[in-house]
mmCIF file of all heavy atoms in Angstrom:
data_model
loop_
_atom_site.group_PDB
_atom_site.id
_atom_site.type_symbol
_atom_site.label_atom_id
_atom_site.label_comp_id
_atom_site.label_asym_id
_atom_site.label_seq_id
_atom_site.Cartn_x
_atom_site.Cartn_y
_atom_site.Cartn_z
ATOM 1 N N PHE Y 59 84.984 -3.757 -4.272
ATOM 2 C CA PHE Y 59 86.372 -3.688 -3.833
ATOM 3 C C PHE Y 59 86.671 -2.355 -3.169
ATOM 4 O O PHE Y 59 87.265 -2.285 -2.086
ATOM 5 C CB PHE Y 59 87.287 -3.939 -5.025
ATOM 6 C CG PHE Y 59 88.750 -3.807 -4.717
ATOM 7 C CD1 PHE Y 59 89.413 -4.817 -4.042
ATOM 8 C CD2 PHE Y 59 89.464 -2.690 -5.093
ATOM 9 C CE1 PHE Y 59 90.762 -4.702 -3.766
ATOM 10 C CE2 PHE Y 59 90.797 -2.558 -4.818
ATOM 11 C CZ PHE Y 59 91.451 -3.575 -4.140
ATOM 12 N N LEU Y 60 86.220 -1.266 -3.786
ATOM 13 C CA LEU Y 60 86.465 0.067 -3.224
ATOM 14 C C LEU Y 60 85.701 0.282 -1.912
ATOM 15 O O LEU Y 60 86.263 0.835 -0.954
ATOM 16 C CB LEU Y 60 86.089 1.142 -4.232
ATOM 17 C CG LEU Y 60 86.983 1.209 -5.477
ATOM 18 C CD1 LEU Y 60 86.424 2.215 -6.482
ATOM 19 C CD2 LEU Y 60 88.422 1.549 -5.107
ATOM 20 N N LEU Y 61 84.462 -0.171 -1.865
ATOM 21 C CA LEU Y 61 83.699 -0.060 -0.613
ATOM 22 C C LEU Y 61 84.311 -0.920 0.485
ATOM 23 O O LEU Y 61 84.394 -0.492 1.641
ATOM 24 C CB LEU Y 61 82.237 -0.443 -0.849
ATOM 25 C CG LEU Y 61 81.426 0.532 -1.678
ATOM 26 C CD1 LEU Y 61 80.047 -0.042 -1.989
ATOM 27 C CD2 LEU Y 61 81.289 1.864 -0.967
ATOM 28 N N GLY Y 62 84.747 -2.115 0.129
ATOM 29 C CA GLY Y 62 85.392 -2.992 1.103
ATOM 30 C C GLY Y 62 86.690 -2.385 1.616
ATOM 31 O O GLY Y 62 87.029 -2.512 2.798
ATOM 32 N N THR Y 63 87.422 -1.724 0.717
ATOM 33 C CA THR Y 63 88.653 -1.059 1.130
ATOM 34 C C THR Y 63 88.344 0.086 2.104
ATOM 35 O O THR Y 63 89.029 0.216 3.134
ATOM 36 C CB THR Y 63 89.406 -0.498 -0.101
ATOM 37 O OG1 THR Y 63 89.713 -1.587 -0.964
ATOM 38 C CG2 THR Y 63 90.672 0.215 0.296
ATOM 39 N N ALA Y 64 87.318 0.859 1.831
ATOM 40 C CA ALA Y 64 86.928 1.955 2.732
ATOM 41 C C ALA Y 64 86.507 1.405 4.099
ATOM 42 O O ALA Y 64 86.915 1.929 5.147
ATOM 43 C CB ALA Y 64 85.803 2.762 2.108
ATOM 44 N N VAL Y 65 85.697 0.358 4.106
ATOM 45 C CA VAL Y 65 85.255 -0.249 5.360
ATOM 46 C C VAL Y 65 86.459 -0.807 6.127
ATOM 47 O O VAL Y 65 86.581 -0.634 7.347
ATOM 48 C CB VAL Y 65 84.205 -1.346 5.082
ATOM 49 C CG1 VAL Y 65 83.951 -2.196 6.302
ATOM 50 C CG2 VAL Y 65 82.910 -0.712 4.597
ATOM 51 N N GLY Y 66 87.375 -1.459 5.412
ATOM 52 C CA GLY Y 66 88.554 -2.003 6.058
ATOM 53 C C GLY Y 66 89.440 -0.910 6.646
ATOM 54 O O GLY Y 66 90.003 -1.075 7.734
ATOM 55 N N LEU Y 67 89.562 0.206 5.954
ATOM 56 C CA LEU Y 67 90.346 1.327 6.488
ATOM 57 C C LEU Y 67 89.727 1.921 7.733
ATOM 58 O O LEU Y 67 90.428 2.307 8.663
ATOM 59 C CB LEU Y 67 90.547 2.396 5.418
ATOM 60 C CG LEU Y 67 91.521 2.040 4.310
ATOM 61 C CD1 LEU Y 67 91.521 3.122 3.216
ATOM 62 C CD2 LEU Y 67 92.931 1.845 4.861
ATOM 63 N N ILE Y 68 88.404 2.006 7.756
ATOM 64 C CA ILE Y 68 87.705 2.473 8.978
ATOM 65 C C ILE Y 68 88.006 1.518 10.121
ATOM 66 O O ILE Y 68 88.316 1.937 11.233
ATOM 67 C CB ILE Y 68 86.192 2.590 8.731
ATOM 68 C CG1 ILE Y 68 85.908 3.725 7.763
ATOM 69 C CG2 ILE Y 68 85.436 2.804 10.040
ATOM 70 C CD1 ILE Y 68 84.476 3.753 7.226
ATOM 71 N N GLY Y 69 87.926 0.226 9.846
ATOM 72 C CA GLY Y 69 88.250 -0.762 10.882
ATOM 73 C C GLY Y 69 89.692 -0.676 11.344
ATOM 74 O O GLY Y 69 89.971 -0.737 12.549
ATOM 75 N N LEU Y 70 90.613 -0.508 10.420
ATOM 76 C CA LEU Y 70 92.038 -0.410 10.760
ATOM 77 C C LEU Y 70 92.300 0.832 11.623
ATOM 78 O O LEU Y 70 92.974 0.743 12.644
ATOM 79 C CB LEU Y 70 92.886 -0.356 9.497
ATOM 80 C CG LEU Y 70 94.394 -0.173 9.718
ATOM 81 C CD1 LEU Y 70 94.973 -1.364 10.459
ATOM 82 C CD2 LEU Y 70 95.098 0.045 8.392
ATOM 83 N N ARG Y 71 91.745 1.952 11.223
ATOM 84 C CA ARG Y 71 91.929 3.184 12.014
ATOM 85 C C ARG Y 71 91.335 3.030 13.394
ATOM 86 O O ARG Y 71 91.923 3.508 14.385
ATOM 87 C CB ARG Y 71 91.270 4.361 11.293
ATOM 88 C CG ARG Y 71 92.050 4.787 10.058
ATOM 89 C CD ARG Y 71 91.415 5.965 9.406
ATOM 90 N NE ARG Y 71 91.380 7.056 10.391
ATOM 91 C CZ ARG Y 71 91.109 8.302 10.081
ATOM 92 N NH1 ARG Y 71 90.850 8.619 8.845
ATOM 93 N NH2 ARG Y 71 91.088 9.241 10.995
ATOM 94 N N SER Y 72 90.208 2.361 13.505
ATOM 95 C CA SER Y 72 89.585 2.154 14.793
ATOM 96 C C SER Y 72 90.404 1.218 15.680
ATOM 97 O O SER Y 72 90.575 1.470 16.875
ATOM 98 C CB SER Y 72 88.170 1.616 14.609
ATOM 99 O OG SER Y 72 87.550 1.457 15.845
ATOM 100 N N VAL Y 73 90.917 0.133 15.104
ATOM 101 C CA VAL Y 73 91.766 -0.792 15.857
ATOM 102 C C VAL Y 73 93.010 -0.059 16.365
ATOM 103 O O VAL Y 73 93.404 -0.204 17.534
ATOM 104 C CB VAL Y 73 92.150 -2.023 15.006
ATOM 105 C CG1 VAL Y 73 93.287 -2.807 15.631
ATOM 106 C CG2 VAL Y 73 90.952 -2.916 14.807
#
Side-chain angles (χ1 to χ4, degrees):
F59 176 76
L60 292 174
L61 289 173
T63 300
V65 167
L67 287 174
I68 292 168
L70 177 64
R71 288 182 59 168
S72 182
V73 166

